[in-house]
Amino acid sequence: TILIVHRYDLFLGLFAKGLKSMLPHVQIAVAHTAEEAVQIIDQARSLIHPEDGGATHGFDMIITEERLHSSDDGDGTQKSRMSGSDLIEAIAKEEKIMDTAASTVAKLSSSLPFSYSWGRWGFQHTKSHNTDNEKPRLPLLIGVSANPKEDGDRLLKAGSNFVWGKPPPTMNDKLRNELLVSLLKKRGKDLKTLL
């Protein structure tokens, strides 16, 4: 599942069309503001819990425009109080907490006859060891900007895994593979065992 956040419907449609051509099986949700994105993330997270295979933030990929809160240009679009990098930073901070907690619990439970795994209510006790040392299913975070030279560092510092300019990169097999490999690595998956 993918969440795209952008002020303009035109860009939401173009991104959705390109992503669907590259990943025809995905479901795409859209938001016009960072605040709306947070609500959609919370709803998605409550529908498919991580213990049921859901991503920690309800989506496998979150793509957001940096300049969600540009000055009023009289076009009637919703303005966000948060920028795209603010949204990414909030998600990245939460990810860091989850990842640190997962690592700590894995280390502590390795000497016990039971283990803990990431579940609906955080870490939950399980009867047998999880030999995968499964990490939370974190989303891939992609920042987008018409001015990547100006906004790219801010997006990367906030926690973006990728920064795309406008127009975005060509949506093809090469990009799909790069995104999937990055997502699996972020989730601590060993690519050799998956191939």
Side-chain angles (χ1 to χ4, degrees):
T1 55
I2 299 174
L3 173 62
I4 307 169
V5 188
H6 201 291
R7 285 174 50 199
Y8 298 108
D9 288 331
L10 174 67
F11 285 106
L12 290 170
L14 289 172
F15 274 106
K17 182 178 178 181
L19 290 163
K20 274 290 203 184
S21 71
M22 183 174 63
L23 302 162
H25 64 283
V26 300
Q27 294 179 351
I28 296 177
V30 298
H32 292 94
T33 66
E35 293 82 6
E36 183 182 4
V38 169
Q39 290 176 346
I40 291 170
I41 289 167
D42 286 343
Q43 289 170 356
R45 191 176 1 206
S46 69
L47 291 175
I48 303 177
H49 300 282
E51 73 178 16
D52 298 326
T56 57
H57 291 83
F59 294 91
D60 296 303
M61 192 181 307
I62 299 173
I63 302 170
T64 183
E65 162 66 35
E66 166 59 7
R67 297 179 185 216
L68 294 171
H69 67 297
S70 296
S71 61
D72 186 13
D73 50 13
D75 62 4
T77 60
Q78 291 180 292
K79 306 299 186 281
S80 180
R81 290 185 308 248
M82 296 171 64
S83 66
S85 55
D86 292 335
L87 175 63
I88 288 171
E89 184 175 21
I91 294 168
K93 283 181 180 178
E94 194 174 19
E95 284 181 353
K96 189 172 184 174
I97 291 167
M98 289 177 191
D99 199 35
T100 301
S103 297
T104 302
V105 167
K107 287 176 188 172
L108 292 174
S109 65
S110 65
S111 62
L112 302 173
F114 51 85
S115 66
Y116 290 84
S117 63
W118 186 256
R120 182 174 302 181
W121 311 113
F123 287 94
Q124 298 176 335
H125 177 269
T126 56
K127 293 180 183 177
S128 61
H129 281 293
N130 178 356
T131 57
D132 296 336
N133 285 332
E134 192 166 312
K135 293 173 70 169
R137 265 188 80 191
L138 304 172
L140 204 57
L141 303 173
I142 301 172
V144 177
S145 174
N147 302 302
K149 288 183 180 179
E150 190 175 323
D151 298 333
D153 287 341
R154 182 173 39 256
L155 287 161
L156 289 170
K157 186 177 178 186
S160 289
N161 303 108
F162 291 90
V163 174
W164 289 351
K166 289 182 187 171
T170 303
M171 305 279 174
N172 57 23
D173 291 345
K174 181 180 176 186
L175 179 61
R176 181 198 63 219
N177 293 343
E178 183 180 358
L179 293 172
L180 292 175
V181 166
S182 297
L183 182 61
L184 291 171
K185 283 183 180 177
K186 185 171 183 177
R187 292 177 174 175
K189 302 292 183 189
D190 182 3
L191 299 177
K192 293 174 188 169
T193 62
L194 296 173
L195 299 175

